[in-house]
Amino acid sequence: MAGEPFLRPDWPAPDCVRALTTLRDGAGLSLPPFDRFNLGLHSGDDPDTVRANRDELVRHAALLGMPHWLKQVHGTTIAIEPDFLQHDDEPEADAAIARTAGRVLAILSADCLPVLLCSRDGRVVGAAHAGWRGLAAGVLERTIEAMQAAPDTLMAWLGPAAGQQAYEVGEEVHAAFVDADTRNRDAFVATRAGHWLCDLYALARRRLADAGVTNVHGGGLCTISDAQRFYSYRRDGQTGRMASLIWIASETGEILR
């Protein structure tokens, strides 16, 4: 629909699985440089405004409850229900797993790669925050393991992230991937001494495939290059955060409390 503040994944997920990524415009109250639909509480924006934006997200997406937010730290800790639902505050984790209808998982990003996963039967969903540190440390592999489903029954969607055409990295990032697996050389294009353009999407696809998940969709949307739709920390420094959500809906198509 025109003006909808979401990007909806194009993937063959089962009918009971819902997913979306928010866009920076079309909703929200945040002022520059966070304009408008900033959902990151720790981005430097006014906290009350961010909370109002989160309430607006619930209304726009027709959720019957607030998403389960995480305190993301570029690690590999997985929040698995029901344990993470018992936290009053955001648990420190970079991925989450749910099997109960209505539990909306949320990943915040502004260049890092959000990865949404679900099983073909719709019984389990997962969401991971795959910045380069978490990706190199194995956050995707740990998420897949925690889903406790055969990897060949899972599918993944790669959300908006820093694209290779604009994402230049240095020795630390290059070494983190190439020293561990020389096949990863093809995800880097040299630009100047000690610097490369990095293809996060290619790196994620390889790790997913090595873990047994080959049904992978999305990719190719560059947060750095598309200032109209996406926040980008690399491009702007102080900026907002998009949210990538996934949840299991009820059989009637409504979200359960």
Side-chain angles (χ1 to χ4, degrees), residues 5 55 71 89 103 115 152 154 158 166 232 240 244 246:
D55 289 339
K71 181 181 179 183
D89 299 321
R103 304 301 190 191
V115 180
D152 63 0
L154 300 177
L158 310 182
S232 168
S244 293
I246 189 167

Side-chain angles (χ1 to χ4, degrees), residues 24 33 35 110-111 162 166 222-240 242:
R24 68 177 299 168
D35 48 328
D111 286 333
C222 179
T223 50
I224 300 173
S225 304
D226 191 343
Q228 181 175 354
R229 292 194 296 170
F230 304 129
Y231 294 114
S232 168
Y233 183 82
R234 172 64 69 96
R235 182 189 64 235
D236 298 327
Q238 192 173 38
T239 191
M242 290 96 61

Side-chain angles (χ1 to χ4, degrees), residues 82-112:
D83 293 344
F84 79 92
L85 302 177
Q86 299 170 6
H87 288 258
D88 292 330
D89 299 321
E90 301 171 3
E92 188 174 288
D94 282 271
I97 304 297
R99 294 181 175 83
T100 303
R103 304 301 190 191
V104 182
L105 307 181
I107 295 296
L108 294 171
S109 64
D111 286 333
C112 290

Side-chain angles (χ1 to χ4, degrees), residues 175-250:
F177 291 98
V178 175
D179 289 358
D181 187 343
T182 57
R183 295 178 302 163
N184 289 326
R185 286 196 183 108
D186 61 11
F188 294 88
V189 175
T191 54
R192 53 197 170 101
H195 291 79
W196 296 262
L197 293 174
C198 173
D199 190 343
L200 272 179
Y201 288 122
L203 293 169
R205 287 190 183 97
R206 173 161 288 143
R207 296 191 80 105
L208 288 166
D210 286 351
V213 179
T214 57
N215 190 356
V216 180
H217 305 267
L221 294 173
C222 179
T223 50
I224 300 173
S225 304
D226 191 343
Q228 181 175 354
R229 292 194 296 170
F230 304 129
Y231 294 114
S232 168
Y233 183 82
R234 172 64 69 96
R235 182 189 64 235
D236 298 327
Q238 192 173 38
T239 191
R241 300 294 186 273
M242 290 96 61
S244 293
L245 310 181
I246 189 167
W247 67 97
I248 302 169
S250 72

Side-chain angles (χ1 to χ4, degrees), residues 42-66:
H42 307 291
S43 60
D45 196 358
D46 175 64
D48 289 338
T49 301
V50 175
R51 292 187 186 98
N53 290 345
R54 289 182 172 189
D55 289 339
E56 192 165 350
L57 169 63
V58 171
R59 291 193 297 273
H60 273 279
L63 307 178
L64 295 186
M66 186 63 65

Side-chain angles (χ1 to χ4, degrees), residues 103-126:
R103 304 301 190 191
V104 182
L105 307 181
I107 295 296
L108 294 171
S109 64
D111 286 333
C112 290
L113 174 60
V115 180
L116 304 181
L117 299 115
C118 71
S119 60
R120 284 200 304 261
D121 61 11
R123 293 180 180 273
V124 60
V125 295

